[in-house]
Amino acid sequence: CTEKKEFIMSRQLLRSGTSVGANLREARYAQSTDDFIHKNSIALKEIAETGYWLELLAQTEYLTQVQYEDMEKDCTEILKMLTAIVKKAKQNK
């Protein structure tokens, strides 16, 4: 049962984490400014969700504190970058 919970959380982490990259790739080829903002906004939501799954994995001790802090730092940096991209794109619209 414990392995199943870890597998489910890990799978969710993988899904949300890879969705960030997929949405950023789509944003690169956006058909309009609105489409660009939309794809980056989805990526922003997905990186926030990724942070959530990292927290759960750390709280349930499937990740060490060092592993969590390292990944959470990257997650936060990506979140900040995407927030700035979306904000700037909206201002320039």
Side-chain angles (χ1 to χ4, degrees), residues 2 4-14 53 56-57 60 62:
T2 300
K4 186 174 181 177
K5 289 177 188 175
E6 179 185 10
F7 175 74
I8 291 168
M9 287 187 284
S10 298
R11 214 168 105 197
Q12 288 296 109
L13 175 67
L14 178 64
W53 292 114
L56 282 184
L57 285 164
T60 53
Y62 293 118

Side-chain angles (χ1 to χ4, degrees), residues 66-77:
V66 172
Q67 289 171 321
Y68 169 72
E69 288 172 3
D70 187 45
M71 288 186 269
E72 195 276 332
K73 181 181 172 190
D74 291 341
C75 199
T76 299
E77 288 302 311

Side-chain angles (χ1 to χ4, degrees), residues 16 19-28 30 32-50 78-91 93:
S16 63
S19 179
V20 173
N23 279 288
L24 291 176
R25 176 63 61 96
E26 287 186 45
R28 181 189 295 171
S32 65
T33 301
D34 284 338
D35 190 30
F36 177 82
I37 292 168
H38 178 70
K39 298 300 184 205
N40 277 285
S41 295
I42 292 171
L44 180 58
K45 288 173 22 177
E46 292 294 334
I47 198 65
E49 181 181 337
T50 300
I78 294 167
L79 192 126
K80 287 177 184 178
M81 286 187 276
L82 288 173
T83 299
I85 289 167
V86 171
K87 183 178 178 181
K88 187 71 169 175
K90 285 179 179 180
Q91 288 173 347
K93 188 177 153 184

